Amino acid sequence: MYRHGTCTWNPSSLQDLARQCLLKDSEMSIADLEDIPMELFPRLLLDAVSFLSLKTLKGLVLTWPFPVLPLGIYVHQSNPVTSYFKALMDGLDALLAQKVRHRRCKLQVVDFRPISEKFWHRWCGIPLKSSAYGKEPVDRGDSRKHTSASLEVVLDITFGFAVLPKQVTYILNWVRERKGVHLCCKKMTLYEEPVPASLLSVITPECVQELAVFSTWTLGTMKWFAPFTLLLGQMSNLQRLVFFTRLGPQEPQDQKLYGSLLASQLPRLQSLRELRVECPFFLRGHVGQILRCLTRSLETLCITECPLPEPDLTHLCQCPNLTQLKELCLRGVPLCSVGESLPNLLENCASTLQDLDLGVCELLDAHLEAILPVLKLCSQLRILNLRGNLMSKGTLVLMLRQLAGLPHLMLEVYPASQESYSASKMLHQRTFDLLCAELGEVLRDLGKPRKISIITHYSCLLCGLKTIYKSEPFIKGGYRPECLIKHISFGLVESETNDSAF
């Protein structure tokens, strides 16, 4: 960079100059691309899209010198099939039609998964601004997993929430109509509507690594989902399963029938690492069967708002396959009947556990004091949520003192002690304020930076929390007016965080 007076001259790099010369002509042929350094190809593709150089785009696809071509940035839900998008697909058609590929072409995988401009900026060597946003880039070094296919197309599919984007529909039809192309759908998201058979016909179950289902379960929902359960059982490489359900009106026998059908497929998911289920009617009576079949330890187990029978809870607490858990959430699952078995469950994963949510589990002082020695062994614990349980002031103070030695614990959420309420379960404001003041003194005596949230309404699961670190206690209400939240901090730098998970 050269400065003269108030003027600044920033000369272009040699690569920029070379690229500008190449793009002087509106279109470039394959012959023009033969001797271009491979480092220029990503930036040339961006420029060709910007200038709608359709012939150049086709030529770039035919000579692409990398194994992966990430095009997720060009798949948008609101946009139609653009001319440059069709030019890229025409280039792939020409590639498939070739008996012998161009000597430079290394293309094996076309990746349409969501990606931000940040990825292309890094790849092209364009300086990133501090405000750059977007998802972390996919690995452009992914190798083709299905070597029998001439080309692999990677695509995430969300069905039922809205109309499929036109580009996604175009890609699905394009794959269906061409031989030698394999569709690799690594992430599927399903909402209320049934999945068309035409869509299922192009999906290879073994490719799916993440599946999320959001639905209100009625008899109609269960009927359309029943055929999909067979496909679910074939997802042998599924690593993440999310099931957020709400039960609608149906007969108990129907619920049991379809619940058993779905539960029968889960033991086949032997690569599962993360299981998140809300209101999972299909788990009742099947927890032991499912957990016993796991060939690898789960890293995340989240079961919420589901009263499980005592045998299921016993299987859960005694399961030997939960030794590597990083996150355990049983929020809204009554555990009072097996509270004495909770230490076994926590002890199994004490060396790895980072997030623990036992909110609204109907735990009493005896249960909480029983797990306290095990909690002290959870050296990696970062977040602890015990809101909504029945805890006395003595137990609350005991937990604050005993857990002070955990090195990574950064957020603790507790219920207001039972002494804060009257006989009619109404909050006694002065008593609650005195309790919080006393807890503040306990934190000062311990002398370690801590953030504690005390929540008064133990039956509220939905209110959101927004904690602001302060050196003094203060009160801030949640989204529900009946919730009163007191955040008590000591020795923390003032900042903001979102605790909406609790």
Side-chain angles (χ1 to χ4, degrees):
M1 181 163 33
Y2 172 73
R3 294 179 181 273
H4 178 72
T6 58
C7 298
T8 301
W9 176 53
N10 190 8
S12 300
S13 67
L14 292 177
Q15 282 194 5
D16 290 339
L17 293 173
R19 199 180 70 258
Q20 291 168 14
C21 291
L22 290 170
L23 289 174
K24 281 183 178 179
D25 297 328
S26 59
E27 301 289 356
M28 298 172 60
S29 65
I30 293 179
D32 297 325
L33 296 169
E34 283 188 350
D35 298 319
I36 293 176
M38 60 186 296
E39 291 80 8
L40 291 181
F41 270 69
R43 189 67 180 268
L44 278 173
L45 188 140
L46 293 183
D47 291 338
V49 169
S50 298
F51 294 107
L52 291 180
S53 302
L54 304 185
K55 183 179 176 182
T56 301
L57 282 174
K58 185 175 178 180
L60 286 168
V61 172
L62 290 171
T63 56
W64 193 250
F66 305 100
V68 180
L69 177 57
L71 296 177
I73 192 175
Y74 301 123
V75 179
H76 302 288
Q77 187 166 349
S78 59
N79 290 348
V81 177
T82 57
S83 57
Y84 62 78
F85 182 83
K86 192 173 184 305
L88 290 167
M89 301 305 291
D90 288 343
L92 295 176
D93 270 330
L95 183 67
L96 293 172
Q98 290 180 338
K99 292 184 179 180
V100 180
R101 289 190 177 187
H102 189 275
R103 62 179 180 82
R104 300 199 67 182
C105 184
K106 302 288 192 302
L107 185 58
Q108 298 177 351
V109 179
V110 182
D111 195 335
F112 287 105
R113 287 177 293 177
I115 196 173
S116 73
E117 293 184 5
K118 183 190 297 186
F119 170 81
W120 282 97
H121 285 181
R122 285 175 175 167
W123 198 4
C124 298
I126 303 174
L128 287 171
K129 297 180 180 179
S130 59
S131 59
Y133 63 93
K135 295 184 179 180
E136 285 299 313
V138 297
D139 182 6
R140 65 174 182 266
D142 284 345
S143 59
R144 182 174 57 186
K145 302 299 188 299
H146 301 271
T147 54
S148 60
S150 301
L151 188 68
E152 183 173 309
V153 173
V154 183
L155 178 69
D156 293 341
I157 299 178
T158 298
F159 188 84
F161 181 72
V163 178
L164 279 176
K166 292 182 179 180
Q167 297 98 327
V168 174
T169 303
Y170 185 98
I171 294 168
L172 291 175
N173 291 331
W174 186 88
V175 171
R176 188 183 297 113
E177 296 168 359
R178 281 153 182 82
K179 295 181 179 180
V181 179
H182 174 81
L183 176 66
C184 185
C185 177
K186 296 189 176 183
K187 181 178 180 180
M188 287 187 67
T189 304
L190 307 179
Y191 287 89
E192 298 285 342
E193 299 179 14
V195 183
S198 59
L199 176 59
L200 293 180
S201 65
V202 296
I203 293 176
T204 304
E206 292 82 0
C207 290
V208 182
Q209 297 179 5
E210 296 185 37
L211 174 65
V213 181
F214 303 87
S215 182
T216 299
W217 290 96
T218 62
L219 182 58
T221 305
M222 293 177 183
K223 283 183 177 179
W224 75 252
F225 193 78
F228 186 82
T229 59
L230 300 178
L231 188 69
L232 173 64
Q234 300 172 38
M235 296 180 182
S236 55
N237 293 310
L238 191 69
Q239 299 181 17
R240 184 174 188 263
L241 177 60
V242 178
F243 244 99
F244 281 3
T245 62
R246 285 289 183 270
L247 281 175
Q250 69 276 313
E251 296 295 328
Q253 59 268 25
D254 294 324
Q255 179 179 328
K256 184 176 181 180
L257 172 63
Y258 290 104
S260 298
L261 179 62
L262 182 54
S264 67
Q265 303 301 314
L266 296 183
R268 302 184 181 186
L269 309 179
Q270 298 188 0
S271 297
L272 205 61
R273 293 182 179 180
E274 182 175 344
L275 177 62
R276 295 181 181 273
V277 286
E278 181 177 309
C279 281
F281 66 92
F282 52 86
L283 284 187
R284 297 187 186 117
H286 303 285
V287 170
Q289 170 196 1
I290 294 169
L291 294 180
R292 278 195 303 270
C293 293
L294 293 175
T295 58
R296 61 187 306 171
S297 295
L298 289 176
E299 294 181 2
T300 298
L301 177 61
C302 183
I303 303 174
T304 60
E305 300 183 50
C306 179
L308 293 174
E310 186 171 342
D312 281 345
L313 294 174
T314 301
H315 283 303
L316 179 64
C317 291
Q318 298 177 355
C319 178
N321 293 336
L322 301 179
T323 58
Q324 303 295 319
L325 282 178
K326 295 181 179 180
E327 180 181 353
L328 174 62
C329 174
L330 298 175
R331 186 172 63 249
V333 179
L335 298 175
C336 53
S337 62
V338 291
E340 293 78 6
S341 300
L342 275 179
N344 296 330
L345 175 60
L346 298 177
E347 188 173 3
N348 284 340
C349 56
S351 61
T352 58
L353 191 63
Q354 297 177 1
D355 298 353
L356 176 61
D357 188 346
L358 298 178
V360 200
C361 290
E362 300 181 7
L363 297 175
L364 306 175
D365 277 348
H367 305 134
L368 296 168
E369 292 176 11
I371 67 173
L372 186 52
V374 182
L375 289 178
K376 292 168 60 178
L377 301 176
C378 298
S379 57
Q380 304 301 314
L381 193 63
R382 304 177 308 168
I383 299 176
L384 173 64
N385 178 29
L386 296 173
R387 63 178 298 187
N389 295 298
L390 303 179
M391 183 183 296
S392 68
K393 182 177 72 172
T395 299
L396 179 51
V397 172
L398 179 64
M399 298 200 79
L400 291 182
R401 293 188 181 279
Q402 293 289 317
L403 299 181
L406 292 180
H408 302 293
L409 191 58
M410 62 182 186
L411 173 62
E412 301 162 72
V413 184
Y414 298 105
S417 69
Q418 291 302 292
E419 291 86 349
S420 303
Y421 299 92
S422 65
S424 59
K425 302 299 182 183
M426 297 296 293
L427 179 70
H428 192 280
Q429 184 66 57
R430 178 171 174 76
T431 304
F432 178 62
D433 290 341
L434 290 174
L435 166 71
C436 292
E438 183 176 340
L439 296 179
E441 289 300 323
V442 171
L443 294 182
R444 292 182 182 90
D445 290 342
L446 294 172
K448 179 187 175 183
R450 300 274 288 277
K451 181 179 67 170
I452 312 295
S453 295
I454 308 296
I455 304 180
T456 62
H457 192 270
Y458 53 82
S459 65
C460 176
L461 289 170
L462 302 178
C463 72
L465 306 181
K466 188 176 183 182
T467 300
I468 304 176
Y469 298 103
K470 295 283 187 179
S471 59
E472 294 297 329
F474 72 101
I475 298 175
K476 184 176 180 62
Y479 293 130
R480 289 192 170 190
E482 64 267 35
C483 291
L484 186 61
I485 306 163
K486 194 126 190 180
H487 305 296
I488 306 171
S489 304
F490 173 74
L492 295 171
V493 179
E494 186 172 332
S495 61
E496 293 194 4
T497 186
N498 187 358
D499 305 326
S500 57
F502 297 139

